[in-house]
Amino acid sequence: MSALPATVPVAVIGAGQSGLAAGYHLRQAGVRCVVLDAGSEVGETWQRRWDSLTLFTSAQFSGLPGLPFPGHGAHYPGKDEVVAYLRDYSERFHLPVLTDHRVLSLRRDGDGYLLTTTHGDYRADQVVIATGAFGAPRVPEFAAELSPDVPTLHTSDYRGPTQVPPGTVVIVGDGNSGRQIAGELAKTHSVVLSCSDSVSPPLPQTVLGRDMFWWMSVLGVMSLPVNMQAPDPIVGDRVPELVAVGRIRTVGRITSAEGAELLVAGGERLKASTVIWATGYRTDWSWLDPQMLDDAGQPRHTEGTGALPGSHYLGLYRMRTRGSALIGFVGRDAERVAAAITAAAHGTTTASPTAEGEPS
């Protein structure tokens, strides 16, 4: 698209994997929509990730509805492959994406919604908020107590080992991102990995020659409601073997900082040449209508159906299942949302959509 009409039936906010999947299903249903994105190109968020990033889902489980991820199904795609795939997906299905259209605010307006964007105000009958589960980088409050002489960066700013000065790197956070980066830096640096109190269950990349996500799909794990408190599994973790050969040292949870030192629960003090915060992201929903938020400032919804009529969400962390924010599984939620939007537009009730992306 080259311009946004003053009024659209459906506005999808965000052209990541969730927004593109929604656009696909809406186009398939014959519902006119527009997909708005703040970036200058589709896939820009992925392009900003570190250079060696690979998905922990194989290509077989990394495709969006209607288009398998290219290459051998057992291959684990890198971030550049993901960017190329998302751009090809958008173009192949002629999705009505408008880049450089950041939505500054979304407000209820009569029986529809008013979107204020960097290109003016527009109205939509229904909206899909598909901006993802993770917004601004999150660092612990005690980070402010660390000496400014110690270089720090969040995983969102990390690109590769050459960016990190020589010496001991302390990585705070032992999720999939922290562990991938620790494994990469162990080749060139002395690495200390701070682990959280809750133990993330390790999962092998493959079992009996099958991808772990094949097994979880077959067993129905990816379709089950999930406990928000349960830690995410670590998939294909190389840290234990690197610890065993002395390339990585693990410590407990870091609780505070004093000058140039980080304090570990139990009393150990660490001096780092560089600190990398692998501490995740925080959401910022201040641009949404206050009526759309609960007392904690989070979206009011039930499995993606917003509390206000005509509002829908996609790609939220564990919105319905463990796969709600994963590229290869978000299509299921997108199909449900598109069915609800189509039904509302036609004044009918929704039918249960078919499962998307089942293993073969």
Side-chain angles (χ1 to χ4, degrees):
M1 291 187 70
S2 58
L4 177 60
T7 302
V8 292
V10 182
V12 180
I13 305 172
Q17 59 257 27
S18 303
L20 295 180
Y24 169 85
H25 280 299
L26 290 170
R27 289 294 293 265
Q28 293 294 304
V31 176
R32 287 197 303 119
C33 67
V34 64
V35 184
L36 306 176
D37 197 77
S40 59
E41 293 183 277
V42 170
E44 191 171 284
T45 300
W46 281 96
Q47 199 161 34
R48 291 198 299 262
R49 305 300 295 276
W50 68 91
D51 295 339
S52 66
L53 180 146
T54 58
L55 299 183
F56 53 74
T57 53
S58 64
Q60 180 186 1
F61 296 97
S62 300
L64 292 174
L67 183 66
F69 203 98
H72 193 282
H75 169 64
Y76 290 89
K79 68 148 188 180
D80 291 340
E81 294 172 271
V82 176
V83 172
Y85 171 77
L86 294 177
R87 291 177 181 171
D88 178 52
Y89 189 88
S90 175
E91 293 170 3
R92 183 175 301 225
F93 295 113
H94 306 289
L95 299 183
V97 175
L98 278 176
T99 55
D100 286 318
H101 275 67
R102 180 181 296 277
V103 177
L104 304 175
S105 70
L106 175 66
R107 295 290 182 267
R108 185 70 172 159
D109 180 37
D111 58 355
Y113 292 87
L114 180 67
L115 296 89
T116 298
T117 79
T118 48
H119 290 266
D121 291 349
Y122 304 92
R123 193 180 185 281
D125 299 327
Q126 299 190 72
V127 291
V128 180
I129 295 96
T131 52
F134 312 107
R138 180 179 61 198
V139 298
E141 291 184 6
F142 66 75
E145 305 301 320
L146 190 65
S147 169
D149 294 331
V150 179
T152 65
L153 68 160
H154 189 268
T155 52
S156 59
D157 299 314
Y158 175 77
R159 295 294 177 271
T162 58
Q163 182 186 15
V164 181
T168 299
V169 182
V170 176
I171 299 174
V172 183
D174 64 332
N176 282 289
S177 295
R179 286 174 177 255
Q180 271 199 30
I181 292 172
E184 177 174 68
L185 286 175
K187 301 173 186 176
T188 54
H189 293 72
S190 173
V191 176
V192 177
L193 178 65
S194 168
C195 301
S196 60
D197 293 334
S198 59
V199 178
S200 299
L203 294 177
Q205 204 93 63
T206 59
V207 174
L208 299 177
R210 290 281 196 176
D211 186 281
M212 176 54 66
F213 284 89
W214 185 90
W215 290 103
M216 290 198 291
S217 297
V218 165
L219 297 174
V221 174
M222 299 305 293
S223 301
L224 292 174
V226 64
N227 179 358
M228 286 294 287
Q229 271 63 56
D232 283 329
I234 303 299
V235 183
D237 184 18
R238 293 185 57 243
V239 166
E241 63 188 72
L242 293 172
V243 169
V245 297
R247 301 292 296 274
I248 293 176
R249 184 166 78 91
T250 58
V251 298
R253 182 172 58 91
I254 292 175
T255 58
S256 59
E258 289 183 6
E261 295 182 321
L262 293 168
L263 279 64
V264 182
E268 183 179 358
R269 291 174 173 266
L270 297 174
K271 286 189 175 180
S273 300
T274 305
V275 175
I276 296 179
W277 305 111
T279 44
Y281 295 80
R282 58 179 175 80
T283 55
D284 177 12
W285 300 107
S286 60
W287 56 280
L288 292 183
D289 192 317
Q291 299 178 79
M292 303 174 76
L293 305 175
D294 61 20
D295 292 340
Q298 297 300 305
R300 292 196 295 137
H301 71 94
T302 301
E303 296 188 344
T305 300
L308 296 187
S311 65
H312 311 268
Y313 296 87
L314 270 179
L316 297 181
Y317 178 65
R318 297 188 178 185
M319 186 180 80
R320 293 185 57 248
T321 68
R322 195 178 291 278
S324 285
L326 298 181
I327 185 171
F329 296 89
V330 71
R332 299 176 180 181
D333 289 351
E335 187 176 8
R336 290 173 61 95
V337 165
I341 289 172
T342 303
H346 296 158
T348 60
T349 57
T350 58
S352 297
T354 58
E356 182 75 44
E358 292 294 343
S360 58

